[in-house]
Amino acid sequence: VQLQASGGGLVQAGDSLRLSCTASRRSLRYYGMGWFRQAPGKERDFVAAITWSGGDAVYADSVKDRFTISRDNAKNTVYLQMNRLRPEDTAVYYCAASTRGGSIVGLPTASIGFNSWGQGTLVTVSS
């Protein structure tokens, strides 16, 4: 599945931003979806993931209570709402799709569990 991430930009600390991830040619309805991020010089880290139905989600501790992952299967889109952004949130954000994720038990949180990746969108948070 081909994924397209968008919504990144330059914001100030404390601001909000919403990222979107869409797919062409294939429905995302039966994919667990995730967001990862990679800061300059660092490894790609897990941010959040959501089950097929959108009923369950899991978050990295660093973003819990600030970020919210959601999906609209009718629009074939997954979102990452990011609030109270911090300079340390600066990174390229990637969305990813997994054939797993029908339930929270099978939802992957490691990059190896995801089969398809978008191209990334840059989020820069200034202090």
Side-chain angles (χ1 to χ4, degrees), residues 45-61:
D45 290 331
F46 170 76
V47 174
I50 191 167
T51 55
W52 295 356
S53 68
D56 289 292
V58 61
Y59 298 90
D61 287 343

Side-chain angles (χ1 to χ4, degrees), residues 27-45:
S27 172
L28 293 177
R29 184 176 297 274
Y30 297 111
Y31 286 87
M33 297 297 298
W35 286 96
F36 289 75
R37 67 186 182 185
Q38 188 167 18
K42 295 187 177 181
E43 295 184 350
R44 188 173 299 185
D45 290 331

Side-chain angles (χ1 to χ4, degrees), residues 4 15-16 30 38 45 50-51 57 72 121 124-125:
Q4 179 77 30
D15 285 351
S16 298
Y30 297 111
Q38 188 167 18
D45 290 331
I50 191 167
T51 55
D72 185 335
T121 185
T124 304
V125 185

Side-chain angles (χ1 to χ4, degrees), residues 35-119:
W35 286 96
F36 289 75
R37 67 186 182 185
Q38 188 167 18
K42 295 187 177 181
E43 295 184 350
R44 188 173 299 185
D45 290 331
F46 170 76
V47 174
I50 191 167
T51 55
W52 295 356
S53 68
D56 289 292
V58 61
Y59 298 90
D61 287 343
S62 59
V63 305
K64 202 172 294 183
D65 299 326
R66 298 189 300 124
F67 291 11
T68 302
I69 187 172
S70 62
R71 65 191 300 162
D72 185 335
N73 286 336
K75 294 182 178 180
N76 216 31
T77 302
V78 178
Y79 304 98
L80 184 68
Q81 177 66 45
M82 305 185 294
N83 298 329
R84 303 196 306 278
L85 282 161
R86 304 167 179 169
E88 54 263 40
D89 295 319
T90 295
V92 176
Y93 284 71
Y94 298 89
C95 62
S98 172
T99 52
R100 296 160 53 193
S103 70
I104 193 69
V105 174
L107 186 63
T109 58
S111 58
I112 195 172
F114 290 84
N115 315 99
S116 302
W117 294 82
Q119 85 291 356

